[in-house]
Amino acid sequence: MDIKVTVRAERGGTYVVDLNGEIDVYTSPKVKDALGDLIDKGHYNLLINLEKVRYIDSTGLGVLIGGLKRVREHGGSVRLICTNPQIRKIFDITGLVKIFGIYDDEEAAMRALV
Amino acid sequence: MDIKVTVRAERGGTYVVDLNGEIDVYTSPKVKDALGDLIDKGHYNLLINLEKVRYIDSTGLGVLIGGLKRVREHGGSVRLICTNPQIRKIFDITGLVKIFGIYDDEEAAMRALV
Amino acid sequence: MPLPQPSDTTDTVELRIPSKAEWVAVARLAVAAVASRLDFSIEDIEDVKLAVAEACTNCIQHAAGSDQIEIVCERAPGGLTVRVRDNGRGTRPEAIQSRRVEETRVGGLGVFLIRSLMDTVEYDVHPDCGTNLVMTKKVSS
Amino acid sequence: MPLPQPSDTTDTVELRIPSKAEWVAVARLAVAAVASRLDFSIEDIEDVKLAVAEACTNCIQHAAGSDQIEIVCERAPGGLTVRVRDNGRGTRPEAIQSRRVEETRVGGLGVFLIRSLMDTVEYDVHPDCGTNLVMTKKVSS
Ligand SMILES: Nc1ncnc2c1ncn2[C@@H]1O[C@H](COP(=O)(O)OP(=O)(O)O)[C@@H](O)[C@H]1O
Ligand SMILES: Nc1ncnc2c1ncn2[C@@H]1O[C@H](COP(=O)(O)OP(=O)(O)O)[C@@H](O)[C@H]1O
């Protein structure tokens, strides 16, 4: 019922944010803060790993959209790794699949040029 | 929230009952029926595998005790495989650890002579 | 033989949580447990879970003055009815509407998701006694 | 600044299930979710879960005429209070007692487990309005 957030620097100035748990109205502020910190520090190429996210609601989607809007102002990008079919379905239904790059694993996401 | 019961014959006339799921007031009749069937058919050496049981309540314990009482009337035995610490704790608290043979894996349970 | 009482035919599970973000997880897990007793598929359970969570989140974020959310699950013929009700000030019926999906902005997806994931969705809005949402999901066969 | 209301300090989660075996799982999962919000360890959550399930099972098996079980969880200082109440015919206070643990027979372990797993346990028995169990569990530090 909680969310664990881990951040690590990767090659090419990309920062990977590993999320583990459930993102809802209670836990999403923690994710929002982590993304906000990175962006405040000038990191605009983010790769958010949702592989270990078992649940996401519209508040969580809002945090991802908010992050995307901020990095785009600096020519950055938010790429997502998402394999859970239920969560992919939410990105499909909401059309967010069209505004995020969604990948099956970290390698594919790193290969995709910004 | 449900229980899956699988029965297989092993060497030495032992029958192994693999349980997978949760044993409570709703699901325990299914376990009771499976044990009853075996005993009705004259199989009195039972090995009940609780490794994949995530939860057991007093109704479930009652079914195991009931099975033990019936096979004992025929000189049989009920051995349990149980590795989940929470479930072992229940057997400890209730003193049932003293009336069942409780083992860490199937091999140890099979080795233990009746 | 006595006639079956209404309570024998209509099983109802009622839950009340404080109108606070931290308790939404309790609501969605309880409703998921109800749905799995009613033989919903894993995918359908996830749908109901998210719809209920979105409804609770809206009560918390928009129902001014609400301190409690009531969630009532009822076995319906071939499925499940869930009512989510707050005791806040309510809103205008026209306000219950998500943004267009094409628009990229934060927020405005909750009601859209509820309507996408459930089979029927009805809002009953009362300025005096809060918002009452009734939604149903059919067990897919 | 307005004074905090009682509902701000005492968070209460209320659940009502039909008095039937199939709904006990909903109660234990909901209470487990409440307990995990209150920072209980996994082991303590399992304890609370089992105690609540045993209490519900007793309502179903022994509370004659009960059709509903009410489970109320309240954040208590340093822990959790859970009330489990049926609306059955109730019993004599002396009847609320498990068998001796040494005795090998089916049944008679529920109340014993509740007393072993929780920190305080109080039964309030009313022949007219059912059995009311109040139990608490402290968060181990
Ligand atoms: N329980 C409620 N009480 C008051 N207003 C509500 C309630 N539920 C939904 N609404 C209204 O419906 C609108 C759309 O909700 P939603 O699609 O979830 O987007 P968001 O919550 O991000 O605004 C809300 O902005 C709000 O005005
Ligand atoms: N909610 C209840 N209503 C009526 N009687 C109860 C209730 N809870 C417990 N009891 C009484 O307490 C006794 C002991 O319960 P328990 O230890 O769980 O063993 P068992 O349920 O197997 O008899 C029951 O046999 C019953 O007489």
Side-chain angles (χ1 to χ4, degrees):
Chain A
M1 282 164 40
D2 240 312
I3 189 78
K4 243 186 80 186
V5 185
T6 329
V7 174
R8 62 194 153 89
E10 259 297 334
R11 58 208 142 86
T14 294
Y15 274 76
V16 181
V17 182
D18 288 302
L19 301 176
N20 187 330
E22 312 194 344
I23 315 181
D24 71 356
V25 61
Y26 183 61
T27 62
S28 60
K30 207 164 152 183
V31 181
K32 187 177 180 182
D33 289 350
L35 299 187
D37 274 358
L38 282 170
I39 298 168
D40 289 345
K41 285 185 191 138
H43 305 307
Y44 306 127
N45 284 313
L46 306 181
L47 202 171
I48 302 177
N49 188 345
L50 302 174
E51 271 178 301
K52 297 215 169 111
V53 171
R54 293 181 304 272
Y55 174 86
I56 190 166
D57 73 358
S58 69
T59 332
L61 298 178
V63 167
L64 300 181
I65 296 167
L68 179 67
K69 295 192 80 164
R70 282 195 61 195
V71 299
R72 272 194 180 162
E73 288 165 15
H74 303 273
S77 72
V78 173
R79 283 161 285 170
L80 305 177
I81 303 170
C82 176
T83 46
N84 180 318
Q86 191 62 27
I87 292 181
R88 274 199 96 115
K89 179 174 131 184
I90 304 302
F91 282 96
D92 283 336
I93 292 178
T94 55
L96 293 173
V97 68
K98 281 176 260 161
I99 71 157
F100 289 104
I102 302 189
Y103 302 91
D104 282 337
D105 53 47
E106 191 169 326
E107 226 198 300
M110 287 299 293
R111 257 200 320 266
L113 287 177
V114 192
Chain B
M1 283 163 39
D2 240 312
I3 190 78
K4 242 187 80 187
V5 184
T6 330
V7 173
R8 59 194 155 91
E10 260 297 335
R11 58 208 141 85
T14 293
Y15 275 75
V16 181
V17 181
D18 288 303
L19 301 176
N20 187 330
E22 312 193 345
I23 315 181
D24 71 355
V25 59
Y26 184 59
T27 62
S28 60
K30 207 163 151 180
V31 180
K32 187 177 179 183
D33 288 350
L35 298 186
D37 274 358
L38 281 170
I39 299 168
D40 288 344
K41 286 186 190 134
H43 306 305
Y44 305 127
N45 283 313
L46 306 181
L47 202 171
I48 302 178
N49 188 346
L50 303 174
E51 270 179 301
K52 298 219 168 107
V53 171
R54 294 182 303 272
Y55 174 86
I56 189 165
D57 74 358
S58 69
T59 331
L61 298 177
V63 168
L64 300 180
I65 296 168
L68 180 66
K69 295 193 80 166
R70 282 195 61 194
V71 298
R72 272 194 180 161
E73 288 166 15
H74 304 273
S77 72
V78 173
R79 285 162 284 169
L80 305 177
I81 303 170
C82 176
T83 47
N84 181 318
Q86 191 62 27
I87 291 181
R88 273 200 96 115
K89 179 174 130 183
I90 304 303
F91 282 97
D92 284 335
I93 293 178
T94 53
L96 293 174
V97 68
K98 279 177 261 162
I99 71 156
F100 289 104
I102 302 188
Y103 303 91
D104 281 338
D105 53 47
E106 191 168 325
E107 227 198 300
M110 286 299 292
R111 256 199 320 266
L113 286 178
V114 192
Chain C
M1 226 178 74
L3 284 175
Q5 296 299 303
S7 70
D8 288 340
T9 50
T10 321
D11 274 356
T12 303
V13 172
E14 278 175 53
L15 178 69
R16 271 187 210 102
I17 58 167
S19 195
K20 294 182 184 174
E22 63 196 291
W23 300 113
V24 172
V26 174
R28 70 169 187 263
L29 291 170
V31 174
V34 171
S36 62
R37 265 292 169 265
L38 300 183
D39 285 330
F40 279 96
S41 67
I42 290 177
E43 192 181 333
D44 284 348
I45 293 170
E46 288 300 316
D47 288 354
V48 173
K49 210 163 129 176
L50 183 53
V52 167
E54 295 296 342
C56 291
T57 299
N58 276 341
C59 296
I60 293 166
Q61 295 184 330
H62 302 298
S66 174
D67 62 356
Q68 197 178 57
I69 306 171
E70 182 182 86
I71 300 108
V72 179
C73 302
E74 220 174 85
R75 194 201 295 262
L80 171 69
T81 301
V82 187
R83 280 163 233 272
V84 179
R85 184 161 62 184
D86 64 62
N87 56 4
R89 220 161 307 131
T91 182
R92 293 155 300 113
E94 322 81 77
I96 309 269
Q97 197 184 310
S98 290
R99 62 167 162 94
R100 282 172 305 116
V101 169
E102 306 80 61
E103 214 182 311
T104 307
R105 67 167 176 85
V106 178
L109 287 174
V111 173
F112 172 80
L113 281 171
I114 295 171
R115 293 198 189 276
S116 306
L117 299 170
M118 300 296 281
D119 290 315
T120 71
V121 175
E122 259 173 77
Y123 273 97
D124 188 12
V125 174
H126 290 282
D128 45 337
C129 59
T131 298
N132 194 353
L133 163 60
V134 185
M135 44 194 178
T136 64
K137 181 89 175 172
K138 286 200 226 53
V139 178
S140 16
S141 48
Chain D
M1 226 177 74
L3 284 175
Q5 297 299 304
S7 71
D8 288 339
T9 50
T10 322
D11 275 355
T12 303
V13 172
E14 279 175 52
L15 178 68
R16 273 189 208 101
I17 58 167
S19 196
K20 294 183 187 172
E22 63 196 290
W23 300 113
V24 172
V26 174
R28 70 169 187 263
L29 292 170
V31 174
V34 170
S36 63
R37 263 294 169 264
L38 300 183
D39 285 330
F40 280 97
S41 66
I42 290 177
E43 191 180 334
D44 284 348
I45 293 170
E46 289 299 318
D47 288 354
V48 174
K49 210 163 129 177
L50 183 52
V52 167
E54 295 295 343
C56 291
T57 299
N58 276 342
C59 296
I60 293 165
Q61 293 185 331
H62 302 297
S66 174
D67 61 356
Q68 197 178 57
I69 306 171
E70 182 182 85
I71 300 110
V72 179
C73 302
E74 220 174 86
R75 193 200 296 263
L80 171 68
T81 301
V82 186
R83 281 164 234 273
V84 179
R85 183 161 64 183
D86 63 61
N87 57 3
R89 219 163 306 132
T91 181
R92 294 155 298 113
E94 323 81 76
I96 308 270
Q97 197 184 309
S98 289
R99 63 166 162 94
R100 282 173 304 115
V101 169
E102 307 80 61
E103 213 183 311
T104 307
R105 66 167 177 85
V106 178
L109 287 173
V111 173
F112 172 80
L113 281 171
I114 294 172
R115 294 200 188 277
S116 307
L117 299 171
M118 301 296 281
D119 289 315
T120 70
V121 175
E122 260 173 77
Y123 272 97
D124 187 12
V125 174
H126 291 282
D128 44 339
C129 60
T131 299
N132 193 355
L133 163 60
V134 184
M135 45 193 179
T136 64
K137 181 89 176 172
K138 286 201 227 50
V139 178
S140 16
S141 47

